[in-house]
Amino acid sequence: MSTLGRILIVEDDPNDVELTLTALEEYNLANEVVVTRDGEEALDYLHCRGNFKARSNENPAVLLLDLKLPKRDGLEVLRQIKSDEKLKLIPVVVLTSSHEEKDVVASYKLGVNAYVVKPVDFHEFVNAVKELGIFWAVINESPPGSMKKN
Amino acid sequence: MPKPLSAIQSYGLAVLAVSVALAAALLLERYNFRGVEFTVFLLAIVVTVWYGRTQAAVFAVVFAVLIFNYFFTEPLHTLYVTRAEIPYYFIFVFFASLLAWFTAIRRRVERELVQSRNELEWEVAERTQQASLLDLTHDSICVRDMDDVITFWNRGAEELYGHRAGELVGKVTTHRLLQTVFPAPLEDINAELLSTGRWDGVLEHTKADGSGVVVSSRWSLRRDEYGNAVAILETNNDITERNRREHEIRTLNEELGKRAAELEAINKELEAFAYSVSHDLRAPLRHMVGFTELLKKNAASLLDDKSQRYVTIILDSAKRMGNLIDDLLAFSRIGRAETHMATLSLQHLVQEAVTEVRQDAGGRNVVWRVGKFPDWCGDRSMLRLALVNLVSNAVKFTRTRPQAEIEIACVDQRQDQVVLFIRDNGVGFDMKYVDKLFGVFQRLHPREAFEGTGIGLATVQRIVHRHGGTVWAEGEVDNGATFYFSLSKPQEPDL
């Protein structure tokens, strides 16, 4: 593996965080993962403010975004990112429980890069997270300004 | 008045009258009445003038003179006229002419009299008829003078208000009698009436029995030949009932609007509920499955066979719940989603459903019999789902058969309705439970024998209902089942 992009997970449910991290760990993709617990925190991270003032000013290679979040929900975060000149290039993948059509439509209208429904079946779930991690953090050529680790 | 005689009849009358006069004169002569012949002939001329035409009268005079000369003046039986007789004849003709003239005048006067009498009679009849026509109408008509005093009150008004014309005409003022409630100040109404000659609007009146009545009122102003306003004709129609109905309809509409709003709110709530279910119910389920899998993996060596089985049961149950949630959400979505009606080929749709189910059926030995289907109007994805559900049911419940036979065809195709059926030779069902077939979560077979959540047929029913059709089934235990559904043709498909 030549480079590994940083994955930013925005997920409020600790169980989902744990399952996602477990799946990523299984494929050695977990080293460069940052977890934020709500939309506000995710935006703080992206804008290097609040708790993340000190971090180096590089964008993550991919953002795995849950839709149902406390404070600012996923669609709001997505809207902010895609309307911000500095952030709009970050690939955003919605990773959510629901396949409600209106969420899918709204996400794509806001310019989401992918929409993945978390499978109930664990093996499928692990598989989905793995594929996402490998594709976006390894295979995909990230836009300039993304954090990569050799 | 007798019809005037024709020319020939008039001349005939002249000849006849003069002949009768001649006969009478001869008869009088026979009995020695002399000197009256002259008068008898004058009488004949008068009769001719009275009943015949003027020319006939002239003829009668000439004819009478000739006859008189021939029969009654010397020399007898010749037309010879002596000189001495000439003035005599002149007097006769003059006298006859004078008589004829007077008679003609009298006759003309009499005729004119008769004519004007007839005209008068006709007019009276006409007037009477018109007045009775005004009584015939259901409208209440009254005429009042400019002081509001009633001058005419038809039967319709009597019936509507319960006041008799005899009690009112010339005595009572309208507005006080009927306690009129005007929609605008009376001065404004009168001003409009005087300027335009008419007014119409809705009035409230009080009847003789004290009850109220709402009327649609039309007023017309009558002016005399000098342009002075003299009377107002008022036509009133009872619209109390109409008003009441309109009011009722309005109330009902408002009620309907309220209900629709309530329903919309409920629908919104339901949508929010389904949305929340779809998000929040699946997450814990995923965690149950995920962590149980992890437990199974990490603690495999520590768990005995029994515990391993428990873990498997937890996983199976969680997965089944996942399927239930998915099916329920799909089911509720069909109830909420808008239908997109379009003309589609049922033939293609059936073929698609069969192809899809066939792939899942794997290497099963199934004999398919697919009939001919018309093009129809419906929501493509919904109908497709209904067909897939029914066909996959047929495949599922023929699983125990060495050779499955599935027939899909169209039985009743009318202008406004089409009936499709799916028949299989599978395990069938007991008609006792036919009512339960289409309920949500209703299953007639043990889960171990045939998998499924029990929502498939409920979904089919909901789809068919949304297409204005019905669904029903026939079956026998161990002897196959047939599912029918009808689709009605929407009046105006929004293509």
Side-chain angles (χ1 to χ4, degrees):
Chain A
M1 234 172 269
S2 52
T3 60
L4 183 60
R6 174 165 290 175
I7 300 171
L8 174 62
I9 296 175
V10 192
E11 172 65 69
D12 65 315
D13 190 319
N15 290 334
D16 268 324
V17 171
E18 194 174 338
L19 286 176
T20 311
L21 288 178
T22 309
L24 289 173
E25 266 163 19
E26 207 163 313
Y27 296 94
N28 298 320
L29 296 161
N31 310 0
E32 284 299 313
V33 174
V34 176
V35 177
T36 51
R37 307 303 295 271
D38 58 55
E40 197 73 49
E41 203 184 341
L43 290 169
D44 280 352
Y45 178 88
L46 292 170
H47 288 293
C48 299
R49 61 191 183 202
N51 291 338
F52 303 99
K53 225 177 233 167
R55 82 169 182 92
S56 65
N57 192 11
E58 283 164 312
N59 286 335
V62 65
L63 194 147
L64 301 184
L65 181 65
D66 190 19
L67 285 185
K68 273 197 108 182
L69 293 170
K71 301 182 190 167
R72 296 196 185 187
D73 71 8
L75 289 175
E76 176 59 27
V77 173
L78 180 61
R79 183 178 301 118
Q80 295 258 343
I81 292 172
K82 291 299 177 186
S83 58
D84 188 307
E85 274 307 314
K86 259 177 63 195
L87 306 178
K88 69 197 295 186
L89 295 180
I90 303 172
V92 179
V93 176
V94 164
L95 186 60
T96 179
S97 302
S98 127
H99 41 121
E100 283 288 309
E101 197 180 304
K102 65 172 186 184
D103 284 340
V104 182
V105 171
S107 301
Y108 276 110
K109 274 190 178 157
L110 289 172
V112 81
N113 301 77
Y115 191 105
V116 177
V117 178
K118 297 172 192 167
V120 170
D121 185 279
F122 183 63
H123 298 293
E124 287 174 30
F125 179 79
V126 168
N127 216 34
V129 172
K130 181 197 83 180
E131 302 266 337
L132 277 177
I134 290 178
F135 179 78
W136 291 104
V138 181
I139 298 174
N140 186 46
E141 186 66 41
S142 307
S146 303
M147 180 169 279
K148 290 252 174 181
K149 192 185 165 188
N150 284 313
Chain B
M1 186 176 164
K3 229 176 90 183
L5 295 175
S6 69
I8 295 203
Q9 282 171 329
S10 290
Y11 286 112
L13 175 71
V15 172
L16 187 71
V18 174
S19 305
V20 169
L22 171 63
L26 288 174
L27 211 64
L28 288 168
E29 195 180 37
R30 156 96 41 107
Y31 292 102
N32 287 325
F33 289 103
R34 313 282 327 212
V36 288
E37 307 87 356
F38 182 77
T39 324
V40 172
F41 281 101
L42 278 181
L43 259 175
I45 289 160
V46 167
V47 168
T48 312
V49 169
W50 191 257
Y51 292 105
R53 300 187 171 208
T54 315
Q55 299 95 311
V58 172
F59 171 75
V61 170
V62 173
F63 189 47
V65 167
L66 290 175
I67 291 289
F68 189 75
N69 178 26
Y70 190 80
F71 285 102
F72 299 103
T73 57
E74 295 292 338
L76 283 176
H77 306 302
T78 61
L79 290 176
Y80 182 77
V81 178
T82 58
R83 258 184 85 137
E85 279 169 352
I86 287 172
Y88 189 69
Y89 280 110
F90 266 118
I91 288 167
F92 180 83
V93 170
F94 175 74
F95 201 64
S97 301
L98 203 66
L99 201 65
W101 187 52
F102 279 145
T103 311
I105 286 173
R106 226 207 110 188
R107 211 183 111 187
R108 205 180 65 229
V109 168
E110 192 157 305
R111 270 192 187 157
E112 277 170 5
L113 262 174
V114 167
Q115 194 173 347
S116 44
R117 197 193 65 210
N118 284 352
E119 270 170 15
L120 214 67
E121 270 174 4
W122 182 82
E123 199 163 326
V124 167
E126 183 82 350
R127 287 274 170 95
T128 317
Q129 201 181 8
Q130 275 172 4
S132 64
L133 275 179
L134 283 181
D135 274 339
L136 262 184
T137 173
H138 294 291
D139 296 347
S140 118
I141 298 172
C142 87
V143 180
R144 49 199 164 84
D145 63 18
M146 296 317 284
D147 296 323
D148 194 32
V149 175
I150 294 168
T151 55
F152 177 77
W153 188 258
N154 83 336
R155 197 178 296 163
E158 287 183 345
E159 282 166 7
L160 176 59
Y161 296 110
H163 296 290
R164 314 292 303 168
E167 309 157 7
L168 309 175
V169 172
K171 302 171 197 163
V172 183
T173 59
T174 326
H175 302 324
R176 183 173 301 169
L177 174 78
L178 301 175
Q179 298 168 38
T180 312
V181 179
F182 300 98
L186 184 56
E187 299 80 58
D188 295 355
I189 293 174
N190 281 334
E192 187 184 332
L193 182 69
L194 285 171
S195 68
T196 65
R198 53 185 54 211
W199 177 85
D200 48 64
V202 174
L203 301 177
E204 285 171 42
H205 284 149
T206 305
K207 297 188 197 180
D209 63 9
S211 61
V213 58
V214 181
V215 296
S216 151
S217 190
R218 288 193 303 280
W219 298 6
S220 307
L221 189 67
R222 189 169 160 246
R223 292 179 186 275
D224 62 14
E225 59 262 47
Y226 309 108
N228 299 318
V230 288
I232 297 163
L233 177 92
E234 182 174 328
T235 312
N236 292 330
N237 276 314
D238 185 356
I239 56 164
T240 315
E241 184 64 12
R242 200 179 81 193
N243 257 25
R244 199 180 58 75
R245 286 212 196 113
E246 275 172 6
H247 180 73
E248 231 165 62
I249 288 169
R250 240 191 334 267
T251 318
L252 282 175
N253 269 342
E254 275 165 21
E255 186 74 9
L256 210 70
K258 234 186 278 171
R259 288 273 164 84
E262 271 170 29
L263 219 76
E264 202 174 320
I266 289 171
N267 221 24
K268 280 242 168 71
E269 245 168 58
L270 208 72
E271 218 161 283
F273 173 74
Y275 182 79
S276 166
V277 165
S278 130
H279 270 284
D280 299 345
L281 239 55
R282 290 161 121 258
L285 205 61
R286 199 170 52 245
H287 304 152
M288 278 165 64
V289 175
F291 289 105
T292 311
E293 289 277 3
L294 287 174
L295 178 72
K296 200 170 132 188
K297 194 172 127 195
N298 295 351
S301 53
L302 302 175
L303 297 174
D304 58 9
D305 284 354
K306 206 168 187 183
S307 304
Q308 296 268 14
R309 200 171 66 81
Y310 293 161
V311 169
T312 310
I313 290 172
I314 294 172
L315 286 174
D316 285 351
S317 300
K319 271 173 205 158
R320 205 157 57 77
M321 186 162 170
N323 291 339
L324 280 172
I325 291 172
D326 284 348
D327 284 1
L328 256 186
L329 284 174
F331 178 67
S332 94
R333 202 171 296 133
I334 283 160
R336 289 176 287 128
E338 273 178 44
T339 51
H340 302 286
M341 294 296 185
T343 303
L344 47 89
S345 160
L346 285 177
Q347 193 77 43
H348 284 166
L349 220 53
V350 168
Q351 207 55 58
E352 268 179 47
V354 169
T355 310
E356 183 180 327
V357 176
R358 232 174 177 167
Q359 283 167 351
D360 300 340
R364 292 261 314 278
N365 187 9
V366 181
V367 176
W368 295 92
R369 275 193 285 274
V370 179
K372 292 264 169 274
F373 301 91
D375 288 352
W376 207 254
C377 187
D379 182 301
R380 189 180 164 77
S381 61
M382 283 195 188
L383 284 182
R384 192 174 187 280
L385 178 60
L387 282 164
V388 166
N389 279 357
L390 288 171
V391 175
S392 63
N393 266 4
V395 169
K396 180 161 74 180
F397 292 107
T398 51
R399 191 188 291 153
T400 54
R401 298 291 184 257
Q403 168 140 355
E405 286 172 25
I406 297 170
E407 185 186 359
I408 309 163
C410 173
V411 272
D412 181 16
Q413 193 195 332
R414 282 183 280 153
Q415 196 64 33
D416 55 343
Q417 182 178 278
V418 65
V419 176
L420 278 72
F421 72 84
I422 289 108
R423 177 173 295 144
D424 65 56
N425 64 339
V427 294
F429 63 89
D430 190 338
M431 281 300 273
K432 248 196 316 203
Y433 305 116
V434 73
D435 294 339
K436 289 194 159 186
L437 270 180
F438 298 100
V440 179
F441 293 141
Q442 293 288 349
R443 298 173 46 88
L444 296 186
H445 302 280
R447 193 169 294 118
E448 302 85 70
F450 297 103
E451 72 290 347
T453 51
I455 295 180
L457 285 178
T459 305
V460 170
Q461 185 176 47
R462 199 168 250 199
I463 291 171
V464 170
H465 282 176
R466 293 210 66 177
H467 282 79
T470 48
V471 56
W472 66 99
E474 287 166 4
E476 199 181 316
V477 173
D478 223 24
N479 210 6
T482 308
F483 286 86
Y484 298 89
F485 69 91
S486 65
L487 298 173
S488 62
K489 190 162 242 175
Q491 293 294 309
E492 280 169 39
D494 34 339
L495 295 172

